[in-house]
């Protein structure tokens, strides 16, 4: 039975690109009229923009915020605050600038409007850390919590990638430690897991060289949620260690978090396996500590304490300091345990259940990778090397057992045995794993002005029967009659005559002809040609949703993992117009079932089209005696460059 205490923190959040422009409104909303503006180091330009936005509200400006909120700096800022008689601070910058705003609020009661430019999360916590004579102390008070936070995505977009990566890892640490906090509760758990997913998405994007407002927006939303977790529940070993390393050894704040996090997670993993499982699901992995290491490493972040300036001969003292006073943590905090953790972090070892195993697998992987060096086909060798690296990593990360490996081999063997000229289990496997759609995107989505492509699917048969314009593909099979009137043009709308168009589809029960043993000749498939106007008309029946073949190993896999087998209803087209690139695509019936959960991930928005209900005779005069459907569509195909 759930049992928990939860106090919601009363901050107002304004989120979105360009929200800096709303700063003056937010100050008015608080009933304040004299602003002391704090702009963080390196952020003078943002300060200038804010000066303009604040206009007559601006009473003064102070740009001297420093890491860990030194009290001398706070003293100077208070003098300025009093001199200009400010009743509100507006702060733009990272955790350091927010810290100064909080220090002013804690001493004078001024309201705070914070515009964060990093992912530190301080802006949504009632916690203030300050340093005096080199000693950092922390206190928590509801009065410290900023009244308003303006998350302007464009401000965080200016954060250099190197800082963005470590800052996102800093935020990730808040979310992760919230999940095993003694004060953990379902509300914060939900926020923490969402934060983990958003931050991991953002880090992955940065690692892949994708860095746009959308990516920064996800990171910033993750940072807000993670900061809220930090402000709401107590943290554990990770935060204590980072506090010690930053406070006593002057290590930089967010890089320290980025290095320590995977090791603190590994330290606690055995004590809270269910928490690690929940995190692993959001990271799309089975090994949460290793995955958090990989995320930072792949995005170019630091992975060792050594690299961020920790002296190796201070590890003993760091372990002493971090274990001097007891604090809550899932796994018991021992001096030896923390010393071993610090050693791993110092050397940047990837957390693994067994480092010796990791090293031997690493040696083996290296050998196999080098074995591809001799040939003269560099692309093939490169693909083989990367495949080996990922396969070995897959086995290692998942601690693959001999039985599981054998089950995989059996699976592929069965896929081979069931595959024939008309049944392709390997394509089905690729389709249901989404790989076909990935390759399709890579191949066909680089030119946006043509009709989207879609996967070929396993039921295409080479050399379909040639049919004349106006032919009936259904050969009298039962179903809702369909009249198709399609045109093939180039991207500028010029019609393309003599385009060869292969069409194929399932019958009303969801079967393709090749799945029906009693048929003598192909049905519901054919090869037609566009006329002089690029037009093509044919009759058929309305396609219905259908299950992919489930009697093979792919069907077993979907059943075992609780996935359904259905494809959204669609017609297949393969279009080859002279001088133009081949287009393989599908048209989906608007309003049909499974459009949002197609078993092979083939649905694209522009391919979902009306199959409009009609009555009366069809355009070719055929009387169908009831409702029929009409499909009108123009395919735009790309010229061969
Ligand atoms: P930071 O504020 O010092 O910023 C890091 C660096 O990034 C600085 O050099 C800064 O000038 C630069 N920077 C920030 N935004 C930029 C931008 N948009 N473009 C270019 N450069 C930019 O560091 P941080 O990691 O944000 O915050 C760390 C501080 O915050 C520490 O003192 C830490 O203790 C504190 N903190 C407090 C809490 C809390 O709840 N009290 C929570 C998290 C962090």
């Amino acid at each position: 039975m759930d049992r928990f205490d939860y106090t919601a923190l009363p901050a107002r959040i304004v989120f979105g690109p360009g929200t800096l422009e709303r700063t003056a409104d937010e100050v008015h909303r608080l009933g304040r009229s004299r602003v002391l503006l704090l702009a963080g180091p390196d952020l003078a330009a943002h300060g200038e923009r804010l000066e303009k936005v604040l206009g007559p509200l601006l009473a003064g400006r102070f740009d001297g915020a420093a890491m860990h909120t030194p009290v001398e700096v706070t003293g100077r800022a208070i003098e300025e605050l009093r001199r200009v008689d400010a009743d509100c601070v507006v702060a733009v910058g990272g955790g350091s600038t927010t810290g100064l705003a909080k220090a002013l609020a804690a001493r004078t009661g001024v309201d705070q409007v914070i515009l964060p430019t990093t992912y530190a999360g301080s802006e949504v916590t009632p916690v203030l850390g300050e340093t005096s004579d080199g000693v950092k102390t922390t206190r928590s008070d509801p009065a410290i919590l900023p009244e308003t936070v303006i998350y302007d995505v464009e401000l965080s977009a200016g954060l250099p990638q190197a800082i963005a990566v470590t800052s996102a890892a800093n935020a990730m640490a808040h979310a992760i430690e919230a999940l095993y906090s003694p004060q953990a509760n379902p509300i914060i758990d939900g926020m923490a897991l969402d934060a983990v997913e958003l931050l991991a998405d953002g880090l992955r994007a940065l690692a892949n060289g994708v860095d746009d407002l959308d990516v920064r927006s996800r990171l910033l939303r993750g940072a807000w949620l993670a900061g809220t977790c930090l402000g709401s529940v107590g943290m554990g070993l990770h935060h204590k260690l980072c506090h010690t390393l930053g406070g006593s050894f002057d290590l930089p704040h967010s890089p320290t978090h980025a290095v320590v996090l995977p090791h603190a997670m590994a330290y606690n993993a055995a004590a809270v396996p269910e928490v690690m499982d929940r995190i692993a699901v959001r990271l799309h992995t089975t090994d949460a500590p290793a995955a958090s290491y990989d995320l930072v490493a792949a995005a170019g972040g630091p992975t060792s304490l050594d690299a961020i300036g920790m002296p190796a001969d201070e590890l003993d003292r760091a372990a002493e300091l971090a274990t001097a006073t007891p604090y809550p943590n899932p796994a018991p905090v021992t001096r030896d345990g923390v010393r071993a953790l610090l050693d791993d972090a110092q050397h940047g070892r990837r957390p693994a259940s067994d480092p010796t195993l990791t090293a031997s697998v690493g040696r083996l992987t290296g050998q196999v990778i080098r074995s591809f060096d001799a040939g003269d086909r560099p692309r093939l060798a490169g693909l083989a090397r990367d495949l080996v690296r990922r396969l070995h990593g897959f086995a290692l990360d998942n601690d693959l057992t001999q039985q599981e490996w054998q089950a995989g081999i059996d699976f592929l063997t069965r896929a081979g045995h069931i595959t024939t000229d008309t049944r392709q289990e390997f394509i089905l496997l690729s389709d249901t794993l989404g790989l076909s759609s990935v390759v399709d995107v890579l191949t066909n989505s680089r030119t946006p002005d043509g009709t989207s492509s879609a996967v070929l699917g396993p039921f295409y048969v080479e050399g379909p029967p040639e049919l004349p314009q106006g032919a009936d593909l259904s050969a009298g099979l039962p179903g809702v009659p369909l009249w198709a009137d399609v045109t093939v043009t180039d991207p500028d709308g010029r019609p393309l005559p003599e385009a060869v168009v292969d069409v194929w589809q399932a019958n009303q029960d969801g079967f393709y002809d090749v799945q029906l043993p009693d048929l003598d000749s192909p049905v519901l498939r054919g090869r037609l040609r566009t006329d002089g106007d690029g037009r093509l008309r044919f009759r058929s029946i309305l396609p219905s949703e259908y299950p992919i073949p489930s009697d093979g190993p792919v069907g077993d896999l979907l059943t075992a993992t609780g996935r359904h087998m259905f494809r959204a209803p669609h017609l297949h087209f393969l279009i080859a117009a002279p001088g133009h690139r081949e287009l393989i695509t599908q048209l989906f019936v608007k309003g049909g079932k499974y459009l949002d959960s197609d078993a092979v991930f083939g649905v694209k928005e522009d391919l979902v089209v009306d199959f409009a209900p009609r009555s009366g005779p069809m355009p070719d005069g055929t009387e169908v005696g009831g409702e029929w459907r009409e499909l009108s569509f123009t395919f735009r195909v790309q010229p061969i460059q």
Side-chain angles (χ1 to χ4, degrees):
M1 179 62 70
D2 281 341
R3 204 178 276 277
F4 56 87
D5 296 352
Y6 171 65
T7 307
L9 298 172
R12 172 171 162 79
I13 307 295
V14 177
F15 193 101
T19 44
L20 175 144
E21 299 297 330
R22 291 168 57 186
T23 309
D25 296 344
E26 290 302 319
V27 173
H28 285 305
R29 200 170 196 278
L30 292 168
R32 302 296 171 187
S33 56
R34 295 188 63 76
V35 168
L36 176 67
L37 174 62
L38 312 177
D42 311 325
L43 296 169
H46 294 324
E48 261 91 82
R49 271 187 70 200
L50 273 169
E51 282 192 2
K52 289 205 185 76
V53 168
L54 288 168
L57 290 171
L58 185 74
R61 176 162 166 180
F62 183 91
D63 281 4
M67 185 81 95
H68 303 309
T69 331
V71 290
E72 316 78 76
V73 174
T74 305
R76 288 202 299 279
I78 285 191
E79 275 173 30
E80 187 60 12
L81 183 92
R82 297 222 163 103
R83 193 183 69 75
V84 302
D85 193 23
D87 54 11
C88 183
V89 287
V90 168
V92 61
S96 300
T97 316
T98 306
L100 178 58
K102 287 170 151 183
L104 295 178
R107 284 168 177 78
T108 67
V110 284
D111 281 351
Q112 306 169 64
V113 176
I114 310 286
L115 293 96
T117 59
T118 70
Y119 310 125
S122 174
E123 65 282 354
V124 282
T125 83
V127 180
L128 169 62
E130 298 185 284
T131 37
S132 177
D133 296 329
V135 179
K136 187 164 180 177
T137 50
T138 301
R139 61 182 150 136
S140 180
D141 183 337
I144 292 172
L145 182 73
E147 279 69 18
T148 304
V149 181
I150 300 179
Y151 284 110
D152 185 335
V153 180
E154 286 166 8
L155 293 184
S156 77
L159 188 63
Q161 176 153 340
I163 311 179
V165 169
T166 56
S167 197
N170 181 191
M172 178 97 77
H174 307 329
I176 284 171
E177 289 228 297
L179 287 162
Y180 52 65
S181 165
Q183 292 84 37
N185 63 68
I187 314 286
I188 293 299
D189 281 7
M191 291 192 191
L193 290 168
D194 283 354
V196 166
E197 191 161 333
L198 286 163
L199 292 164
D201 271 4
L203 280 169
R204 245 179 254 119
L206 293 183
N208 292 332
V210 182
D211 188 1
D212 53 22
L213 274 190
D214 189 45
V215 168
R216 294 298 178 126
S217 174
R218 270 179 283 157
L219 285 167
L220 199 56
R221 263 171 56 213
W224 160 47
L225 292 172
T228 307
C229 298
L230 172 71
S232 304
V233 299
M235 298 282 119
L237 173 65
H238 169 84
H239 280 76
K240 174 71 184 171
L241 260 179
C242 292
H243 188 87
T244 304
L245 294 169
S248 305
F249 302 94
D250 213 19
L251 296 193
H253 178 78
S254 63
T256 309
H257 277 266
V259 172
V260 171
L261 180 62
H263 302 284
M265 289 170 75
Y267 190 94
N268 282 325
V272 278
E274 70 296 339
V275 171
M276 290 301 150
D277 284 350
R278 294 171 83 190
I279 297 169
V281 167
R282 294 302 186 105
L283 294 179
H284 311 301
T285 179
T286 54
D287 184 342
S292 74
Y293 179 98
D294 294 343
L295 278 173
V296 171
T303 50
S304 74
L305 290 178
D306 187 48
I308 59 169
M310 180 69 187
D313 57 1
E314 291 280 32
L315 294 183
D316 285 334
R317 192 161 72 90
E320 295 290 349
L321 287 171
T323 53
T325 46
Y327 49 90
N329 186 63
V333 179
T334 64
R335 194 210 155 280
D336 287 351
V338 170
R339 179 65 179 78
L341 181 168
L342 285 170
D343 199 64
D344 285 341
Q346 181 73 10
H347 294 98
R349 294 183 194 113
R350 183 176 185 267
S353 40
D354 186 338
T356 328
L357 266 185
T358 309
S360 357
V361 172
R363 271 193 297 281
L364 194 66
T365 307
Q367 267 177 10
V368 182
I369 283 175
R370 283 191 297 280
S371 74
F372 294 108
D373 286 352
D376 58 359
R377 297 182 60 187
R379 170 77 179 167
L380 178 64
L383 290 174
R385 282 192 205 102
D386 198 45
L387 181 65
V388 165
R389 195 177 293 120
R390 287 167 202 256
L391 277 178
H392 288 206
F394 170 80
L396 182 67
D397 289 351
N398 293 287
D399 206 359
L400 202 68
T401 65
Q402 188 80 28
Q403 287 90 332
E404 286 164 342
W405 171 84
Q406 187 62 52
I409 297 292
D410 293 346
F411 179 93
L412 292 174
T413 308
R414 285 179 59 212
H417 286 164
I418 206 167
T419 294
T420 64
D421 286 350
T422 52
R423 164 76 186 264
Q424 234 303 359
E425 194 73 357
F426 288 103
I427 291 186
L428 199 59
L429 178 60
S430 165
D431 290 353
T432 52
L433 295 183
L435 179 62
S436 311
S437 287
V438 170
V439 175
D440 171 48
V441 167
L442 293 175
T443 312
N444 298 309
S445 293
R446 297 180 193 234
T447 40
D449 51 351
T451 300
S452 291
S453 56
V455 295
L456 180 69
F459 299 114
Y460 178 68
V461 177
E462 294 284 349
E466 296 267 358
L467 298 175
Q469 280 272 356
D472 182 3
L473 269 63
S474 72
L477 285 178
V480 177
L482 172 70
W483 174 259
D485 184 346
V486 300
T487 306
V488 180
T489 73
D490 70 6
D492 299 323
R494 279 186 289 266
L496 297 174
E498 284 305 303
V500 178
V501 181
D502 291 353
V503 186
W504 67 108
Q505 67 167 101
N507 69 13
Q508 70 164 5
D509 300 322
F511 292 107
Y512 286 78
D513 53 0
V514 292
Q515 296 174 288
L516 300 170
D518 300 336
L519 285 174
D520 301 332
S521 55
V523 280
L524 292 173
R525 70 174 70 236
R527 172 164 291 172
L528 300 102
R529 279 162 214 276
T530 55
D531 64 14
D533 298 325
R535 261 177 100 183
L536 178 70
R537 277 146 285 187
F538 61 88
R539 279 165 46 206
S540 188
I541 52 173
L542 185 69
S544 65
E545 67 280 1
Y546 65 86
I548 56 171
S550 59
D551 57 340
V554 173
D556 292 349
L557 177 66
L558 298 200
T559 305
T561 50
R563 279 177 53 177
H564 74 70
M565 315 265 175
F566 281 88
R567 293 229 50 208
H570 61 274
L571 280 184
H572 290 269
F573 292 86
L574 191 160
I575 300 172
H580 289 74
R581 290 177 50 183
E582 188 176 82
L583 174 68
I584 299 171
T585 193
Q586 304 175 15
L587 294 181
F588 294 87
V589 181
K590 194 181 273 180
K593 283 186 178 174
Y594 306 109
L595 284 171
D596 55 359
S597 65
D598 184 47
V600 308
F601 309 98
V603 179
K604 291 179 185 167
E605 221 170 293
D606 65 315
L607 300 179
V608 178
V609 296
D610 271 330
F611 284 63
R614 300 272 185 262
S615 55
M618 283 183 153
D620 65 351
T622 309
E623 289 288 352
V624 295
E627 186 187 284
W628 53 277
R629 299 297 187 99
E630 181 168 14
L631 164 69
S632 279
F633 192 79
T634 299
F635 295 98
R636 292 177 191 275
V637 297
Q638 302 286 345
I640 294 169
Q641 300 294 345

